[in-house]
Amino acid sequence: MTRDPRPVCCVHSSMPRGLRARSLIGLFAACAAWAACGGGDKKEKTTPDKATSSGDPQAMHDPGDPSGVPGNAGTAGNPAGGGVSGGGVAAMPPSAGGNGSAAPAVPAEPPAPVVTLPNYDPDPAQARTQVDQHLQVARAALASATPDGETALREARLALQIDAANIDAAAMVAFAYYHKKLYDTAELVLDDLFKRDTAKQNANVYYVYGLVYDHTNRPDQAVLSFKKAVELNPSHASALVNLGVHQLQNSQYAEARSSFERLVNQFARGDAVTLTSLGSAYRGHAADYPTGTPDRDDNVRRAEAAYKRALQANSSYGPAYYNLGLLYLDNDPFPGLPDTLLRLNTAKGYFDQYKNMPSLDMKLYDDRMKDVTKAIKRAEKLLKKSKGGSPGTSGPPAPPAPPAPKAKAGAKRGSKP
């Protein structure tokens, strides 16, 4: 079997043989270089490009704007420059000035002036002085012979305009209403004032309460109020006077004696009213001891001395004469005076003097004169029956006179707080 001959590819070139050899060598070199670079996949350059021909030494460190826009080189914080390239982060806005230089310093604003608001509140010391001045005028108005409640009320309100929280000024308002005989109004003022805790510790509030209770027939509450006022302020003489009066009325003679001794000795109250009340406390307290005992005689003598001091202070004060008459009528034997008829006649003489006083209570006078007249007649009869006895001389004691009702102490009510 005859086969066809294998075809042979023949390439004819007009290039000279030596040139063809050099071309093949160059082709092989290019392929080798291509294989050394990793084939067809282009990888990121690992070395910087050579310096440009400009000779700028910063060329390696400042690659410039990839977009190729002149004059938009990146900054140290944003190498990409001012634009957004290849999905990168937008650059910071250029600084003021536009030439890359630092922004000029903004001058600081001057500090705002300090504004001091005017103080319209009065000085506390000055306000207190003004309040005290108004209250002094109010007290003087109520301490006069004819208490002026209207003036006291006006001054108390002026004090409250300066210090609306002043307890003494508010209590003075109630005290003024009391003197105007507006007892219900006074009590309403006190009740409203008593809602404050500070009012519960104020002696004047309790004192005015006591006066209102006294004049609205509530003596038990009055006593408690006066007593509380004295506890809060032991120097509250007016509250102590009224407390002593109630003690006399309640036959608490030992307590009354203590109260009025304080008024006379500690507060130097030497008026006829206070001294007469002190004498009545001694006279009542004497009856707490048996007849003839030293304690009884001591209190009788003290009572006589107090009544006589009251008459020295005011010789026209009728209650002092009346109480001296009772002292001699009730105490048999009288200390230092064993003569019964002389004692009874002394009592009668004081009752007669009481009759001439402007404060005479005619019924009291008539009742006491009946008692002393009967006692004198009994004593005279006993003396006639005695051997050698004669009227006016010493003899057996007369029967005791009927007990006299309690004398009015005469203590002043409603004096200034």
Side-chain angles (χ1 to χ4, degrees), residues 200-284:
K200 296 179 175 65
Q201 302 301 318
N202 187 283
N204 286 336
V205 173
Y206 287 98
Y207 170 67
V208 181
Y209 257 130
L211 296 176
V212 172
Y213 291 146
D214 249 348
H215 284 77
T216 52
N217 198 27
R218 288 175 282 178
D220 293 340
Q221 291 173 272
V223 171
L224 294 176
S225 296
F226 292 134
K227 187 175 181 180
K228 184 65 175 179
V230 173
E231 288 177 358
L232 291 173
N233 181 9
S235 299
H236 202 303
S238 298
L240 187 58
V241 167
N242 285 271
L243 177 61
V245 170
H246 278 280
Q247 289 167 340
L248 282 175
Q249 292 174 346
N250 295 331
S251 300
Q252 297 172 311
Y253 297 117
E255 293 84 351
R257 169 181 169 168
S258 176
S259 296
F260 286 106
E261 281 182 340
R262 283 188 59 202
L263 287 165
V264 172
N265 300 326
Q266 180 179 344
F267 298 103
R269 295 287 288 264
D271 58 280
V273 176
T274 303
L275 290 169
T276 299
S277 298
L278 176 59
S280 296
Y282 286 134
R283 182 172 63 84

Side-chain angles (χ1 to χ4, degrees), residues 21 66 134 139 141 159 209 315 324 369 402:
H134 286 296
R139 293 188 187 100
Y209 257 130
S315 60
L324 274 168
M369 286 303 293

Side-chain angles (χ1 to χ4, degrees), residues 127-143 151-163 166-176 202 204 416-417:
R128 180 63 189 174
T129 300
Q130 293 175 349
V131 168
D132 289 342
Q133 289 173 348
H134 286 296
L135 293 181
Q136 287 175 2
V137 175
R139 293 188 187 100
L142 297 180
T151 297
L153 183 60
R154 182 188 69 245
E155 293 297 323
R157 286 172 172 170
L158 289 173
L160 286 174
Q161 289 179 6
I162 299 171
D163 183 3
N166 191 281
I167 301 298
D168 288 332
M172 183 61 73
V173 170
F175 196 37
N202 187 283
N204 286 336
K416 63 182 179 180

Side-chain angles (χ1 to χ4, degrees), residues 380-396:
E380 290 175 343
K381 288 179 180 180
L382 289 174
L383 286 174
K384 288 179 182 180
K385 292 179 180 180
S386 299
K387 291 181 179 180
S390 60
T393 61
S394 298

